[in-house]
Amino acid sequence: MPYPHEFRGDVVHIAANRDPGVPLRQIAAGFGISETCLQNWVRQAAVETSGKPDVTKAEAEETRELRKRVRLLEQENEVRRRAASFFVQAHLPGNVLPARDRARR
């Protein structure tokens, strides 16, 4: 279960304002989280507040969704292109339609 946003913010604030010589490991243990988890939170907070060129979690998720949407649209366009090509070829002079299509005309 993810930790509440307020909790994460508070822990990151405490970690950022800790006394010199106090390791992240000690702060993480005090809050019952892993040191790696706290390091990730601190790094993410730095990205979100400093304007670094790194990508925030929300931006990464949006990019992933947009790429998925682009792939879907490209697939749809390919289907339409192939269908259009098929129908154009079927109506070119000299092409013989199958018997069932001739009966409908």
Side-chain angles (χ1 to χ4, degrees), residues 3 7-8 11-12 24 28 32-44:
Y3 293 96
F7 174 75
R8 290 174 60 155
V11 174
V12 167
L24 281 180
I33 59 175
S34 71
E35 182 181 6
T36 305
C37 180
L38 180 54
Q39 288 171 346
N40 290 338
W41 292 355
V42 169
R43 186 180 316 111
Q44 187 66 36

Side-chain angles (χ1 to χ4, degrees), residues 53-69:
D54 293 340
V55 178
T56 64
K57 185 176 182 180
E59 289 170 334
E61 185 175 318
E62 181 182 15
T63 300
R64 187 173 36 259
E65 291 298 320
L66 290 172
R67 286 183 178 156
K68 186 188 300 185
R69 179 73 176 144

Side-chain angles (χ1 to χ4, degrees), residues 26-91:
Q26 182 179 348
I27 294 170
F31 286 98
I33 59 175
S34 71
E35 182 181 6
T36 305
C37 180
L38 180 54
Q39 288 171 346
N40 290 338
W41 292 355
V42 169
R43 186 180 316 111
Q44 187 66 36
V47 167
E48 291 174 354
T49 59
S50 72
K52 285 169 129 181
D54 293 340
V55 178
T56 64
K57 185 176 182 180
E59 289 170 334
E61 185 175 318
E62 181 182 15
T63 300
R64 187 173 36 259
E65 291 298 320
L66 290 172
R67 286 183 178 156
K68 186 188 300 185
R69 179 73 176 144
V70 166
R71 261 193 321 273
L72 177 63
L73 291 171
E74 286 173 344
Q75 290 172 350
E76 289 175 359
N77 284 339
E78 179 65 16
V79 168
R80 288 185 179 107
R81 186 188 65 75
R82 288 183 182 190
S85 175
F86 172 78
F87 288 116
V88 165
Q89 288 179 6
H91 289 79

